[in-house]
Structure formats: C-alpha cells, structure tokens
Amino acid sequence: MAAPESARHLLAQNEHPYPPLPSVLAALAEAGADLHRYPDFRPERFAGIVADWQGVPAGQVVVGHGSAGVALDLFHAVVEPGDNVVHSQPCFDAYPMFCEIARAEARPVPLGPDARHDLAAVAGRMDERTRIVVLCNPHNPTGTVYSWAELTEFFRRVPATALILLDEAYVDFALDWRAPDVPDRIAEWPNLVVLRTLSKSHGLAALRIGYALAAEPVARRVRDHQVPYAVNRLQEAALVAAVAAEDEMARRIAGIAAERERTGAELRRLGWAVAPSATNFLWVEAPGDHAPLRAELERLGVAVRYYPGQGVRIAIGEKDANDAVIKGFTAVRP
Ligand code: PMP
C-alpha cells in the first residue's frame, strides 16, 4: 500500500505536498523541551482546544491517534461480535480492517456508477444488528461528495440503533460544499458522528491528530474506551499552532484545489474519465490493465495508488509532480 520511497513524486497516500508551516515547526520544537513530562491522563485540555475551535461543548469531542484511531475507538465502543458495519467498497482501507478487529460482520456495498455511494443499496444492507454505517464525504478513493440535503434524506433511513460515521477527512478541500455548522448537525442527529483530521488539509499526517464530534452520550461512550494519555504534548502544540494559522492553511488549500482542477481538466482532455473531486486527489477510472500506465508513471518517478480493475487514485502534488502525472497519462491513452 505504501508508496515506494524511491519515487520522486509521492502521490499514493493523499498527503499534503508541503511540509508543516514554520509556526507549527516552531511550536513543536518548543514543546519538545517538555517531553520528559506526561501529557494529560485524560486529554481534557486537548479536547477543550478542539471544542473552542469547532464551537461545541468539550463533552461532544473525542480526540485520538489520528481520525483512524478515533474511528477504531468508536468501533471498540459500540460493536459487539456479530454486529455488522455497512460501508462502501472501495473505501479507506482501514474500515474493513476495523470490522475484522472489532469482529463485526463487514457489509461492503459497491459504489454507484457515478463513483459515489449507492445510498439506496447502503440503506438496503442495514438491519437491527447494524451498529455503524460509514460514509466518507468526500469519499476516498473517488473524491466525490454528496450534498447535505442528499445525506440527510439518507440519515432518515438509518435505524436509531446504528451510528452514522460521517468521515470528513477531506472536507476542507470541498470548497463548494455547504452544510449546517457541526453543533446544529449534532443537535438534529443524535446518532451522527463527524470525523475530522489534521492529516490532510493541515498536512500533519505523521503527527496523528484526529477528532470526532458527536452528541454527548455517544462521545462519552467512545472516550470511556480510550487508552490513557491518548494524545501527547507534540500533538497539542501543533494543534494550537495549526488553528492559529488557518488563513495560511486556507491559501495552501486553494492552491491545491486549483492544481486539482488543472490536472483533472488535462486528464479529461486526453479522454480519461476523471470523477469530479472535492478532495486533494483525483480518481481516474481505469478498469483495464494498469501495467502500461504503471510502467510509464514509475519511469517518471510517480507513485500513485492502483485499484486493480477499477481505477487509479492520484494525490495532488506540487506543479512538477502534477505535470509528471499528465505526461504519464498522455503516453498511455485510455
Ligand atoms: N478517513 C479517510 C477517508 C482517509 O482517507 C484517511 C487517510 N487516508 C483517514 C480517515 C485517516 O486519517 P488519519 O491520518 O487522521 O488517521
């Protein structure tokens, strides 16, 4: 799954192309001086920072080891062996893995023809043993998005015994996407869990900072299943600095979104089917043999993620990386 480290353009893991902001690096260096001290036993101060930032009470926040870590804590908290979890397929690799870890029956549902969730089919797979229905919005690997109206129409069909895990890892790149503020969403949907991360838009993947926002009983239940000292001092320092630098982040995001549109348009002009993306990556439909494309991209030093028989997912990098992608796709016509 990991990109070959030898590749010049590492576009296989949906990472941010730029290193952390200088203000974040400075905060990390400063926090380093206190690494002989424990972080909070329960991460209350950390949750308080997220709560102030997102405008929710601290009781509605769960923080953890990346959003993947928080999602796994949620699985541990609510899934009993024999319960089931419904998710689209393909999706973020961790969800099928979490089903196995939590001994849930995974119920994968193929995506619809527009590379979006097939919400009718997802609804059809839910029953009284469904504990979690996972919806990545925008979706990984396709970058596609549902409107809030479409989502809430679906939420009405979810049994009250199931939680809706709305994974918004990439939502900061969805510049045209609109939804009510999270506090209003949580007030209206007591079984909704909104999952976020600083790995993608904030470019801090290695630091593992993620959080979930949910109604208090749900959030408490997840916190009760977490390991003590769940987040550390470096994460806290980076979070504070990242929140203070949101304008700078927004400028970087706008630049990535512009490159995404340019690269997507070029690939479409070449005849490739590229899904509309609300993320920092592109999904190119490629049901045939990937070998010629792979050989060409590897020759150009480009590592992307291949989904055999389905398509290719390409993170947006700096301009030279995106130009290398375009060159590779030019050499191998659809
Ligand atoms: N959700 C989705 C949809 C993702 O694609 C990823 C990372 N690839 C994650 C969650 C996990 O992110 P984190 O680094 O916060 O664990």
Side-chain angles (χ1 to χ4, degrees):
M1 188 177 72
E5 291 290 335
S6 56
R8 192 147 39 97
H9 304 299
L10 299 173
L11 308 180
Q13 296 208 80
N14 294 347
E15 292 155 336
H16 200 296
Y18 307 115
L21 293 171
S23 60
V24 173
L25 289 176
L28 285 169
E30 198 178 317
D34 288 328
L35 287 181
H36 57 306
R37 302 289 177 202
Y38 273 107
D40 287 348
F41 188 71
R42 295 252 173 234
E44 280 160 11
R45 201 175 49 238
F46 194 106
I49 297 165
V50 173
D52 290 347
W53 180 32
Q54 296 298 319
V56 298
Q60 295 186 349
V61 178
V62 187
V63 297
H65 186 83
S67 60
V70 178
L72 180 57
D73 292 335
L74 174 75
F75 273 61
H76 280 142
V78 304
V79 175
E80 299 286 340
D83 290 339
N84 68 69
V85 172
V86 185
H87 63 81
S88 292
Q89 192 63 25
C91 73
F92 171 40
D93 300 306
Y95 287 118
M97 191 192 284
F98 293 167
C99 290
E100 271 187 43
I101 295 172
R103 304 211 188 126
E105 177 203 339
R107 294 193 172 176
V109 178
L111 293 172
D114 57 358
R116 300 201 301 167
H117 303 289
D118 184 342
L119 292 179
V122 171
R125 296 290 280 144
M126 298 182 298
D127 61 22
E128 71 290 344
R129 290 301 300 268
T130 303
R131 291 293 161 264
I132 302 175
V133 53
V134 181
L135 285 182
C136 300
N137 195 66
H139 190 53
N140 173 10
T142 55
T144 50
V145 76
Y146 270 103
S147 71
W148 186 247
E150 290 170 315
L151 287 176
T152 51
E153 197 180 311
F154 169 79
F155 292 173
R156 283 191 198 96
R157 304 178 65 181
V158 177
T161 45
L163 293 174
I164 304 157
L165 180 54
L166 187 65
D167 180 334
E168 296 190 341
Y170 300 95
V171 76
D172 292 340
F173 296 102
L175 298 177
D176 300 326
W177 193 74
R178 297 284 172 271
D181 291 339
V182 172
D184 296 334
R185 297 200 230 164
I186 292 171
E188 187 174 357
W189 302 99
N191 58 342
L192 177 65
V193 179
V194 178
L195 191 65
R196 299 264 180 89
T197 180
L198 274 77
S199 295
K200 307 296 181 182
S201 55
H202 289 270
L204 296 174
L207 267 183
R208 317 302 307 127
I209 306 174
Y211 61 95
L213 308 169
E216 252 182 85
V218 177
R220 189 181 322 115
R221 200 162 155 201
V222 182
R223 286 196 302 267
D224 286 349
H225 281 77
Q226 291 192 297
V227 70
Y229 311 113
V231 289
N232 66 51
R233 287 174 180 275
L234 295 179
Q235 291 168 314
E236 185 175 323
L239 171 68
V240 172
V243 170
E246 283 218 290
D247 290 352
E248 243 169 308
M249 275 306 158
R251 278 195 292 280
R252 285 184 162 191
I253 290 167
I256 292 169
E259 273 296 290
R260 170 188 79 205
E261 294 307 308
R262 178 183 77 88
T263 310
E266 284 295 318
L267 299 186
R268 285 186 197 103
R269 203 175 50 77
L270 294 167
W272 293 91
V274 183
S277 172
T279 62
N280 64 332
F281 59 85
L282 292 171
W283 172 254
V284 183
E285 267 176 49
D289 180 14
H290 289 165
L293 179 67
R294 188 177 198 134
E296 189 58 26
L297 289 176
E298 282 179 4
R299 196 184 62 76
L300 293 161
V302 179
V304 300
R305 173 79 190 269
Y306 300 90
Y307 291 76
Q310 299 178 86
V312 180
R313 190 194 68 193
I314 310 154
I316 296 301
E318 294 189 75
K319 186 173 181 304
D320 62 332
N322 307 328
D323 285 343
V325 168
I326 294 164
K327 201 166 169 190
F329 278 82
T330 307
V332 184
R333 289 302 174 109

